[in-house]
Amino acid sequence: MRRSTRVSVAALAVTAFALTACGRSDTPADDATAEAVATGDVSGTVTVWAMGTEGEALGDFAKAFTEENPDVTIDVTAIPWDAAHDKIATAIAADEVPDVSMIGTTWMGEFATSGGLDPTPPDLIDESTFFPGAWGSTQVGGTSYAVPWYVETRVLYIDTALAEQAGVSPTPATWDDLMATSKGMQSAGAQWGISLQAGQTGAWQAFLPFAWQAGAEIMNEEQTEFTFDSPEFVKALTYYQSFFTDGVSPKELPEGTLEPDFVAGKIGAFQSGPWHIGILDDTGGEGFVDGVTLAPLPADEKQASFIGGSNLAVFKSSENRDAAWKFVQWLSQPEIQAQWYAITSDLPAVQSAWDEGDLADDTTLAVFGEQMATAQAPPSIPTWEQIANVIDTELEKVCKSGMDPQEAATAIQQQAEAIGTGL
């Protein structure tokens, strides 16, 4: 299961106050450039903060690096995800940081603008090796401040037998196809054709792909203005709403019922990430997922999905910068990423790693690699978590109360403008 990176408005306010109080800049320098890194013979201790499963596994995994670099010690501290944001913010404010830390993709704007992160050295890290959407999540104000480590994206999970029974495609390619497939599975006996999120926390991650598919952009190219009230964004809201007004998707789905209801044929489809492969096999029995079709999300003007995951950043005040960046570079090698996947099931951010090891032969996961090529990240701005909360609130009104999509888009636009970018 992926770890949540939700951040409260109060936490952001506390962080902003702490950073200002310590005299740090509110924005990264316009001419921020990375200093060269000497990675020949490195030594000393590299302190690393890692969260969740990664924090538990990285220490042992890093022994292969220290075998190649015997004068280096990798010291990994495992941190719970729910404590990580505030711990990193406090460390930057106090200038008591580790050398390296995992950074949730939606935290990048906040921590980069704090002045705490070291710009990614282009002479050491080749951005072209990563999925474009993953690399985009590291960029703030046109400068990269981290390296994508692992990624996740969302695809469709469709009950193959139910779709075949209904005579509809289990791989809907367009918006019209998705609605036809969903309604068809209802006619074949499913209570709900598809389960989409209707405004609860994190629903923005389910909805934004539809906005991108319609051709909507969240901000202008310079990331100085929000563009939520565009015709394309309204079109996506209208289409998304139709699943609820037509009774195709449930407005409320009690926690813990998605998987058993899908296994029982009560729900025909849902969208989610790779972690649901294991969950479905646990719920339906070993091999259940073999009867499930995994398909890319449908296209309207284009194909798109949400990209999440975690990045690796080196701190500006790192006491062992050269060794820290060499360790991050090592973790970014295709064969190392493939080995890391074999241990943790974290999907590689480096494109060529998908041709290595177990991933190269896994046809079930291949669809995630295909989807990753068109997956997008939300804007890397310090206030994104506040904006996301606004989208969740207005999306709930659209899906559950029938709010006019244009009114919702206008409300999101106005509130986003009031919040600002934080840059």
Side-chain angles (χ1 to χ4, degrees):
M1 180 177 290
R2 294 298 89 185
R3 281 66 55 179
S4 171
T5 57
R6 305 295 296 168
V7 184
S8 68
V9 174
L12 285 170
V14 169
T15 301
F17 173 80
L19 296 176
T20 303
C22 288
R24 293 187 179 275
S25 169
D26 289 334
T27 60
D30 292 337
D31 58 350
T33 55
E35 299 178 7
V37 177
T39 60
D41 294 323
V42 291
S43 60
T45 297
V46 175
T47 54
V48 182
W49 288 356
M51 297 78 185
T53 302
E54 290 73 25
E56 299 168 3
L58 185 57
D60 285 340
F61 187 78
K63 291 178 181 178
F65 175 80
T66 56
E67 289 175 1
E68 298 176 11
N69 301 271
D71 294 329
V72 176
T73 299
I74 302 297
D75 181 9
V76 178
T77 298
I79 300 173
W81 268 107
D82 58 5
H85 171 273
D86 289 352
K87 186 173 180 65
I88 295 170
T90 300
I92 293 175
D95 201 19
E96 296 179 353
V97 295
D99 296 301
V100 180
S101 180
M102 288 171 59
I103 305 286
T105 54
T106 57
W107 298 347
M108 286 302 304
E110 178 186 356
F111 292 141
T113 56
S114 74
L117 304 184
D118 195 33
T120 308
D123 60 320
L124 184 70
I125 305 295
D126 181 2
E127 74 170 87
S128 68
T129 63
F130 299 91
F131 286 107
W135 185 261
S137 73
T138 72
Q139 293 183 304
V140 180
T143 298
S144 172
Y145 289 89
V147 169
W149 190 19
Y150 66 80
V151 291
E152 56 92 348
T153 192
R154 317 299 167 84
V155 301
L156 290 171
Y157 285 72
I158 296 179
D159 186 324
T160 309
L162 195 60
E164 291 177 348
Q165 181 182 341
V168 295
S169 173
T171 56
T174 67
W175 279 10
D176 287 344
D177 292 343
L178 179 60
M179 183 61 80
T181 292
S182 301
K183 287 185 174 180
M185 289 189 291
Q186 276 187 298
S187 69
Q191 180 179 1
W192 305 107
I194 188 171
S195 177
L196 297 173
Q197 290 177 273
Q200 59 269 45
T201 299
W204 64 271
Q205 297 180 12
F207 167 72
L208 278 190
F210 290 93
W212 291 325
Q213 289 160 21
E217 297 294 340
I218 306 307
M219 302 185 74
N220 62 359
E221 188 173 348
E222 296 76 22
Q223 291 203 342
T224 56
E225 298 179 1
F226 295 105
T227 55
F228 288 110
D229 57 353
S230 68
E232 294 83 4
F233 196 85
V234 173
K235 178 183 180 181
L237 279 172
T238 303
Y239 175 72
Y240 199 82
Q241 182 186 54
S242 68
F243 284 91
F244 300 91
T245 56
D246 291 358
V248 181
S249 182
K251 294 180 180 180
E252 298 280 356
L253 190 67
E255 185 174 354
T257 60
L258 172 63
E259 295 83 7
D261 281 2
F262 181 76
V263 168
K266 296 179 180 179
I267 293 174
F270 65 93
Q271 61 165 311
S272 190
W275 55 90
H276 251 108
I277 293 174
I279 294 174
L280 288 177
D281 271 347
D282 288 343
T283 305
E286 187 67 29
F288 174 82
V289 79
D290 294 339
V292 178
T293 296
L294 273 63
L297 298 186
D300 183 48
E301 294 299 318
K302 64 178 184 178
Q303 192 179 69
S305 185
F306 173 84
I307 192 168
S310 185
N311 301 327
L312 289 171
V314 173
F315 288 92
K316 195 77 172 178
S317 298
S318 167
E319 295 183 358
N320 199 353
R321 178 175 179 267
D322 290 346
W325 273 117
K326 186 169 186 178
F327 181 54
V328 171
Q329 179 197 41
W330 180 79
L331 288 169
S332 303
Q333 296 176 23
E335 62 275 17
I336 300 301
Q337 289 232 315
Q339 292 169 22
W340 181 246
Y341 162 76
I343 293 173
T344 64
S345 296
D346 285 345
L347 298 180
V350 174
Q351 298 183 65
S352 60
W354 290 71
D355 299 324
E356 302 272 347
D358 295 341
L359 272 169
D361 302 319
D362 196 323
T363 56
T364 302
L365 284 176
V367 66
F368 290 98
E370 178 185 347
Q371 185 74 82
M372 211 80 72
T374 55
Q376 297 180 222
S380 294
I381 56 174
T383 57
W384 176 252
E385 291 292 342
Q386 297 174 66
I387 305 297
N389 286 334
V390 170
I391 297 173
D392 282 347
T393 299
E394 300 305 319
L395 188 64
E396 183 169 20
K397 297 175 185 176
V398 168
C399 298
K400 294 184 179 181
S401 304
M403 183 181 189
D404 179 71
Q406 179 62 68
E407 291 182 12
T410 300
I412 294 171
Q413 178 72 20
Q414 291 174 345
Q415 292 177 73
E417 289 176 350
I419 293 169
T421 66
L423 295 172

